Structure formats: C-alpha cells, structure tokens
Amino acid sequence: MGLKCCVFGLGYIGLPTACLLAKAGYKVTGVDINHNLVEELNHNKVSINEPGLRESLYEAIDTGNFTASIQPVTSDIYLIAVPTPFKNTDSKIPQPNIENVISSAKAISKVIKKNQMILIESTCPVGTTRKVASLIGKITNLSQKDFSVAYCPERVLPGNILSELIENDRVVGGISEIDSLKAKSFYKTFCKGEVHETKAETAELVKLTENSYRDVNIAFANELSIICSSLKIDVSELINLANHHPRVNILNPGAGVGGHCIAVDPWFIVSQFPDDAKLIKSARLVNNYKTDWIIQKIKEKCESIILTKNEPLKVGCMGISFKPNVNDIRESPALKITFALSKIKNIKIYVCDPNIKNHKEFKIHSIEKTLENCDLFVFLVSHEEFKNIDLDNLNILNFCNLKTT
C-alpha cells in the first residue's frame, strides 16, 4: 500500500497535483470545502478545461488511489494548495488573505501524527510557512522536530499544467535543512525536473519574484503600446525591430494582465514592503491602467461610428478569458473590459469566446453569429479560433496582437 497524501484545495493546482500523486502510487484524499465540487469529482466530473485532466482523474478514481472529501484524514503528507485571495479593505494596496491556509493548518492539526510532513504550495506572504509550523505545534503540542514543514511554489502554465507539474524544476524551502531534504525526496517521486533546496522564506519569495518579474516586463510592453498609440506608430513593428538587437527581448502588449498569478503575486511583495517595492508597484499600476485605457479607446471608437439605422451599436467582444486558449477568467482584463462596455448606453455587446460555454452574466455567442450581427469587433484575447477570421472587411480594434493565418 502506498503512502497516504491529503491535498487541500481541488482547484487549478490541487486537483492536477492530486491526480499525478495518485498515478505515482500515493493514496490521495482530496479535500475541499465545496460539497458540490467534491460530489462531482467523485463522479469524474471536471469543470476545469485542462488538457488530460479528466482522463487523469478517471484513472486516479479507477485505480482506487483518489477520493474527494470535505474532511481530511490522517496521512503521511499534507499538501496545501488553497486559494489566497485579497482581503476586502479600503487600502490602496491589496492585502493578502491567508485565512484558507490557516484553516487548512487547523484542520491538519486535528489529524496529524509524529513524523508526518506538511507542504504549502499556495501563494503566501514571506513568513507564512513558519507561521503554519508554529500554529500546528501550538495546537498539537508537538515539537518542531516531530513533524516537517516546507514551502514549494508551483510554476505552471494553464493549458499545460499536468506536463509542467512533472517537467518543471521546483524549489523547496523547509523550516530546517532536514525538512527541505524530506520535501525534496517527496517531489522527486513524481517530478522529473530538478528540485532545488533553500530555506522557507527564500522559497516563498521565489514564487512572488518570478511573477513580479513577468509583470514588470509586460508593463514595459503595455506602456510602449500606449506611447505608440499617441505617436501613431505600429507597436508590433516597433517591438519586432527592437528585438533584432541581440540583447533585447520585448514582450507583446495586451489588454492588461490576468490570471491568478501575475496579476496577483506582485501585491504580496508590495503589501509587505510598500516603501521599497517601487518598481513592482509601478508595473502593477501600469498593467491595470492599460485595461482602463483600452476601455476609453473603445468608447471613443464607438462614438465615432455613425449608424444609418436608429439602433444600438453592436460590439463583438472577442474573448473574455485571461489568456488565449483557456476557459480561465480569473482576474481577466478582457472580462473587465466587457463588463464596462455592457454598461454603456446605446451599445449592445455580443460576447464571443470559443473556450467558454456559459457565463453567469453574459450569453456566449458563436463566432459565426457574432460576425453576422456586429458593427465593431474588439479583439481582446488571441484565441486560436480567431486566427482563421478574415479581418479585411471588418471594423476592428485589435488589442491582443492577433495575427491571422
């Protein structure tokens, strides 16, 4: 019988990780507070649009190595992959909320025994891992030497999560060197990438640093696009020419920054170091401003279009996910833009996203119906399906660097 593993949080990271652990031979209990989700997963129903995930879940259930539950069980390894949203405060700097991590730690305290290990993958402020270790020790009266605690940030790309969980290098940071070694041994059982050891605080900051770095680079491209618009210069041509320099690699601009990593993680650093993280904060503000700037540009374009019929202007919002070819709308700038347009008088929007079947606020239209009905097409996400559209005879605004084939 394999070692037992309890995975807290069955979302975009927790569920794929649980499936991989089950395939590696662990007896996995996936824990989530969402009763409906637990029921659906136990019946092999997956709402996350991730290649191979449904098949992996089916295999995990079929082998008897995975079950979903609302309650944790005593296990050899406890892995925390719960969301860490922002607190609802009036602060200009979003404040991280680690209540889900703390709740998971308290639940672990009820079932943990000596010589077991806790791993945290949730994005956290620096110092959270030690806080969790201290809390569990206080609740259980266990010494720090009686159990192991380490932090290991995930670094995956939606649309390729299962592969990247296996292939990518990992960083593990324990409360002690022994904890780091134990964590490394665990990840090497299912990860092909190299596993690098460090201390807990460094591992926590690694996760935040990686996504802050990406945010800063995207902000540079987005700022260039705004400047180019004022100068009536094609930003794509500008970047292409600049990138011929052997040491320059500028990214493509977009509608802003979305997803649950790049648009969120920099604030974890800024919230802890508001006076020092000046560049990181500026990048966040630039990328948020880019979304607002696009909303204004669309409004101006709509005002310039004169319709011969006394009807609302019909605008096709092409894409609402946070990135191409996924159905993930978390922190999506395209969705924010769509919401803003939906509130403008004399505009009727057609929401078109081939990766999303349903949305609680908007009816999702097919590409064909959107092309047939709209006067203006605003391309916000460069989904693969959009690349087959003939743009020559359409009135368009292209904010996602869409290139047709």
Side-chain angles (χ1 to χ4, degrees):
M1 184 176 180
L3 293 174
K4 293 181 179 179
C5 186
C6 201
V7 177
F8 289 78
L10 296 175
Y12 284 86
I13 300 302
L15 181 58
T17 301
C19 291
L20 289 178
L21 290 172
K23 186 172 184 178
Y26 291 91
K27 295 293 182 181
V28 182
T29 300
V31 179
D32 204 285
I33 60 173
N34 186 329
H35 290 241
N36 291 334
L37 175 62
V38 167
E39 185 70 17
E40 288 175 357
L41 291 176
N42 283 327
H43 288 87
N44 197 36
K45 295 180 180 178
V46 182
S47 60
I48 300 172
N49 183 22
E50 184 64 35
L53 183 57
R54 184 179 302 279
E55 293 79 7
S56 294
L57 177 62
Y58 180 83
E59 180 183 351
I61 293 174
D62 191 51
T63 58
N65 281 352
F66 174 84
T67 185
S69 173
I70 60 170
Q71 296 292 341
V73 297
T74 299
S75 302
D76 301 286
I77 301 108
Y78 305 91
L79 193 152
I80 299 174
V82 295
T84 47
F86 294 136
K87 295 177 183 177
N88 293 322
T89 68
D90 295 330
S91 172
K92 292 182 179 180
I93 299 175
Q95 301 298 309
N97 183 347
I98 62 168
E99 289 180 6
N100 292 330
V101 174
I102 298 302
S103 294
S104 298
K106 290 178 179 177
I108 291 170
S109 298
K110 296 177 181 179
V111 295
I112 193 173
K113 299 184 183 303
K114 285 186 178 182
N115 301 318
Q116 295 176 348
M117 179 167 59
I118 299 129
L119 300 167
I120 304 172
E121 290 198 4
S122 301
T123 303
C124 295
V126 176
T128 301
T129 304
R130 290 191 187 274
K131 184 179 292 186
V132 166
S134 177
L135 175 64
I136 292 175
K138 183 177 180 180
I139 294 174
T140 61
N141 290 321
L142 290 172
S143 163
Q144 180 55 63
K145 294 181 180 179
D146 292 331
F147 62 99
S148 300
V149 185
Y151 185 83
C152 180
E154 52 80 17
R155 37 165 70 135
V156 297
L157 187 69
N160 199 32
I161 290 177
L162 287 167
S163 174
E164 295 211 346
L165 283 173
I166 296 172
E167 302 293 339
N168 289 350
D169 285 5
R170 304 296 291 260
V171 175
V172 292
I175 297 298
S176 68
E177 289 186 18
I178 293 175
D179 290 353
S180 296
L181 285 171
K182 288 181 178 179
K184 178 177 181 177
S185 295
F186 166 73
Y187 281 100
K188 288 303 293 182
T189 62
F190 68 100
C191 293
K192 294 180 180 178
E194 189 173 349
V195 181
H196 306 270
E197 303 162 51
T198 184
K199 64 180 182 179
E201 289 80 5
T202 304
E204 290 166 335
L205 188 57
V206 162
K207 166 68 173 178
L208 306 178
T209 298
E210 290 168 351
N211 286 317
S212 296
Y213 169 84
R214 296 170 69 194
D215 198 42
V216 168
N217 281 273
I218 295 169
F220 181 71
N222 279 334
E223 197 165 84
L224 277 179
S225 70
I226 294 170
I227 293 169
C228 283
S229 177
S230 297
L231 294 171
K232 300 190 184 310
I233 289 174
D234 183 341
V235 68
S236 296
E237 181 186 10
L238 173 79
I239 291 173
N240 179 57
L241 293 172
N243 282 346
H244 281 285
H245 187 292
R247 290 171 295 280
V248 173
N249 185 23
I250 304 169
L251 302 177
N252 290 317
V257 174
H260 198 60
C261 291
I262 303 177
V264 176
D265 293 1
W267 288 122
F268 282 67
I269 297 178
V270 177
S271 67
Q272 283 189 289
F273 304 97
D275 296 328
D276 298 323
K278 292 181 173 62
L279 178 61
I280 297 171
K281 180 182 178 182
S282 295
R284 272 287 71 235
L285 296 177
V286 167
N287 285 329
N288 284 342
Y289 171 69
K290 179 63 184 296
T291 303
D292 295 332
W293 180 84
I294 286 175
I295 292 170
Q296 183 59 38
K297 288 296 176 183
I298 298 172
K299 287 181 180 178
E300 292 172 4
K301 179 69 173 180
C302 290
E303 290 170 358
S304 71
I305 297 174
I306 300 174
L307 295 179
T308 56
K309 296 178 291 185
N310 188 23
E311 293 180 358
L313 180 69
K314 296 173 183 176
V315 179
C317 296
M318 311 301 284
I320 59 171
S321 62
F322 89 86
K323 60 169 287 185
N325 309 320
V326 301
N327 70 343
D328 192 344
I329 59 173
R330 292 177 296 174
E331 307 296 327
S332 170
L335 185 59
K336 179 181 177 181
I337 292 165
T338 300
F339 269 117
L341 296 182
S342 71
K343 300 182 184 303
I344 300 176
K345 284 185 177 182
N346 298 321
I347 288 180
K348 180 179 180 180
I349 63 168
Y350 280 70
V351 180
C352 177
D353 195 307
N355 294 281
I356 297 173
K357 294 180 179 179
N358 298 294
H359 187 272
K360 61 182 180 180
E361 298 286 343
F362 301 119
K363 180 179 179 180
I364 306 297
H365 297 278
S366 67
I367 293 176
E368 293 75 19
K369 186 170 182 179
T370 306
L371 292 176
E372 180 183 335
N373 284 280
C374 292
D375 308 296
L376 173 67
F377 302 88
V378 180
F379 286 89
L380 302 170
V381 188
S382 56
H383 290 310
E384 197 66 31
E385 292 86 348
F386 294 161
K387 296 178 182 179
N388 296 320
I389 298 174
D390 183 0
L391 304 180
D392 290 342
N393 297 316
L394 299 178
N395 193 2
I396 72 165
L397 287 172
N398 183 1
F399 295 111
C400 62
N401 198 40
L402 177 70
K403 292 183 175 66
T404 57
T405 56

